[in-house]
Amino acid sequence: MAKARLLTIADEGGEAISEIGVFDGGLFFGGLALVRQWFAVLHRFDADGNHAGSDVVGCGPDPELARRRLTDLVAALGPVRRQDIAVRLFAVRRDGTIFGLVSDVYDDGEEYVDLLPTGIRFDEPWDGLYSS
């Protein structure tokens, strides 16, 4: 999967990608991440899957606060529709941590993509499903 290709992300639910779909401005996905503190994370993309921005909100030790902040971030998008999306790889750094979809290769040369910092992984057959 070259950086220019789109990565499908399926609407599977779960904490790392609990919000996903489309809005008038494009595509989005978001969830919670725990790295020294809880973060509410919402990534936005244009209709072609290009990264358009990320909101990464530190919420201290309180996962409930992070869930409320994520709800607020999604509400600010306006009307949304849940569905699978396809986006390009990207990375942003906040508070010394990388947030994004980053590719790497296994020892056997096969490529995979990690959603950082959560550690969920996408790989063959590139069907949008992920593992942790």
Side-chain angles (χ1 to χ4, degrees):
M1 162 165 299
K3 185 170 180 134
R5 286 191 29 211
L6 294 171
L7 173 69
T8 298
I9 303 175
D11 180 6
E12 287 191 75
E15 197 163 83
I17 302 178
S18 60
E19 304 293 337
I20 185 170
V22 298
F23 69 109
D24 281 345
L27 314 171
F28 73 95
F29 77 88
L32 305 183
L34 178 59
V35 184
R36 297 180 306 279
Q37 68 170 316
W38 284 98
F39 288 91
V41 182
L42 184 69
H43 302 294
R44 296 175 316 285
F45 305 85
D46 66 19
D48 295 322
N50 299 302
H51 184 248
S54 294
D55 296 302
V56 179
V57 181
C59 299
D62 187 351
E64 291 308 315
L65 176 60
R67 282 185 188 86
R68 289 192 305 273
R69 293 292 183 261
L70 180 59
T71 298
D72 293 344
L73 291 170
V74 173
L77 296 175
V80 300
R81 185 176 72 248
R82 288 189 73 94
Q83 69 177 54
D84 298 354
I85 61 172
V87 299
R88 294 185 193 337
L89 305 184
F90 71 99
V92 296
R93 184 178 295 274
R94 299 286 191 280
D95 294 338
T97 300
I98 295 174
F99 294 83
L101 291 167
V102 178
S103 83
D104 204 345
V105 293
Y106 294 109
D107 290 340
D108 65 4
E110 292 295 317
E111 186 178 17
Y112 63 89
V113 173
D114 275 338
L115 173 61
L116 298 178
T118 65
I120 65 171
R121 182 162 290 174
F122 300 86
D123 54 71
E124 295 285 343
W126 306 110
D127 57 4
L129 303 177
Y130 52 85
S131 61
S132 52

